[in-house]
Coordinates of all heavy atoms in Angstrom, one line a residue:
A23 N 69.4 79.5 99.1 CA 70.4 78.7 98.4 C 70.2 79.1 96.9 O 69.1 79.5 96.4 CB 70.2 77.2 98.6
P43 N 74.3 100.6 96.3 CA 75.6 100.1 96.7 C 76.5 99.9 95.4 O 76.0 99.5 94.4 CB 75.4 98.8 97.4 CG 74.1 98.3 96.9 CD 73.3 99.5 96.5
R60 N 75.7 107.4 96.5 CA 75.3 108.7 97.0 C 76.3 109.4 97.9 O 76.1 110.5 98.4 CB 73.9 108.6 97.7 CG 74.0 107.7 98.9 CD 72.7 107.6 99.7 NE 72.7 106.7 100.8 CZ 71.9 106.7 101.8 NH1 70.9 107.6 101.8 NH2 71.9 105.8 102.8
A74 N 77.7 104.0 109.9 CA 78.2 104.9 108.9 C 79.7 105.3 109.3 O 80.0 105.4 110.5 CB 77.4 106.2 108.8
G85 N 74.3 111.1 87.9 CA 74.0 110.0 87.0 C 74.7 108.7 87.5 O 74.4 108.3 88.6
S107 N 87.7 105.4 94.5 CA 87.4 106.1 93.2 C 86.1 106.8 93.3 O 85.2 106.3 94.0 CB 87.5 105.2 92.0 OG 86.4 104.2 92.1
E143 N 91.8 114.7 83.4 CA 91.8 116.0 82.8 C 90.4 116.6 82.7 O 89.5 115.8 82.4 CB 92.5 116.0 81.4 CG 94.0 115.8 81.5 CD 94.7 117.0 82.0 OE1 94.5 118.1 81.6 OE2 95.6 116.8 82.9
D161 N 103.2 94.8 92.2 CA 104.3 95.7 92.5 C 103.9 96.9 93.4 O 104.6 97.8 93.6 CB 104.9 96.3 91.2 CG 104.0 97.0 90.3 OD1 102.8 97.2 90.7 OD2 104.4 97.5 89.2
L180 N 95.2 109.7 73.1 CA 96.1 109.6 74.2 C 96.3 110.8 75.0 O 96.9 110.8 76.0 CB 97.4 109.0 73.6 CG 97.5 107.6 73.2 CD1 98.8 107.2 72.5 CD2 97.2 106.7 74.4
G194 N 100.0 108.9 93.8 CA 99.5 109.6 92.6 C 100.5 109.9 91.6 O 100.1 110.4 90.5
G241 N 78.3 93.7 72.6 CA 79.8 94.0 72.6 C 80.4 94.3 74.0 O 81.5 94.8 74.1
D242 N 79.7 93.8 75.1 CA 80.4 93.8 76.4 C 81.6 92.9 76.2 O 81.6 91.9 75.5 CB 79.5 93.2 77.4 CG 78.2 94.0 77.7 OD1 78.2 95.1 77.3 OD2 77.2 93.4 78.2
W255 N 87.8 100.6 71.1 CA 86.6 101.4 71.1 C 86.9 102.8 70.8 O 87.9 103.4 71.2 CB 85.9 101.4 72.6 CG 84.7 102.2 72.7 CD1 84.6 103.5 73.2 CD2 83.4 101.9 72.2 NE1 83.4 104.0 73.2 CE2 82.6 103.0 72.5 CE3 82.8 100.8 71.6 CZ2 81.2 103.1 72.2 CZ3 81.5 100.9 71.2 CH2 80.7 102.0 71.6
P303 N 87.3 73.8 94.4 CA 88.6 73.5 93.6 C 88.3 73.5 92.1 O 89.2 73.9 91.4 CB 89.1 72.2 94.2 CG 88.6 72.1 95.6 CD 87.2 72.8 95.5
R306 N 88.8 76.8 90.2 CA 90.1 77.5 90.3 C 90.4 78.2 89.0 O 90.4 77.6 87.9 CB 91.2 76.6 90.7 CG 92.6 77.3 90.8 CD 93.7 76.3 91.2 NE 95.0 76.9 91.0 CZ 95.6 77.7 91.9 NH1 94.9 78.1 93.0 NH2 96.8 78.2 91.7
R332 N 75.2 80.4 84.2 CA 74.7 81.6 84.8 C 74.1 81.3 86.2 O 73.1 80.5 86.3 CB 73.6 82.2 83.9 CG 74.1 82.6 82.5 CD 72.9 83.2 81.7 NE 73.4 83.5 80.3 CZ 73.3 82.6 79.3 NH1 72.9 81.4 79.5 NH2 73.7 83.0 78.1
E346 N 86.0 87.6 96.2 CA 86.3 86.4 97.0 C 86.8 86.9 98.4 O 87.8 87.8 98.4 CB 87.4 85.5 96.4 CG 87.8 84.4 97.2 CD 88.8 83.5 96.6 OE1 89.2 83.7 95.4 OE2 89.3 82.6 97.3
A347 N 86.3 86.4 99.4 CA 86.7 86.8 100.8 C 88.0 86.0 101.1 O 88.3 85.0 100.5 CB 85.6 86.5 101.8
G350 N 87.7 82.2 101.2 CA 87.3 81.5 100.0 C 85.8 81.6 99.7 O 85.4 81.1 98.6

Side-chain angles (χ1 to χ4, degrees):
R60 61 178 177 159
S107 65
E143 288 290 312
D161 60 1
L180 286 173
D242 299 339
W255 178 259
R306 178 177 170 81
R332 300 176 183 89
E346 178 181 351

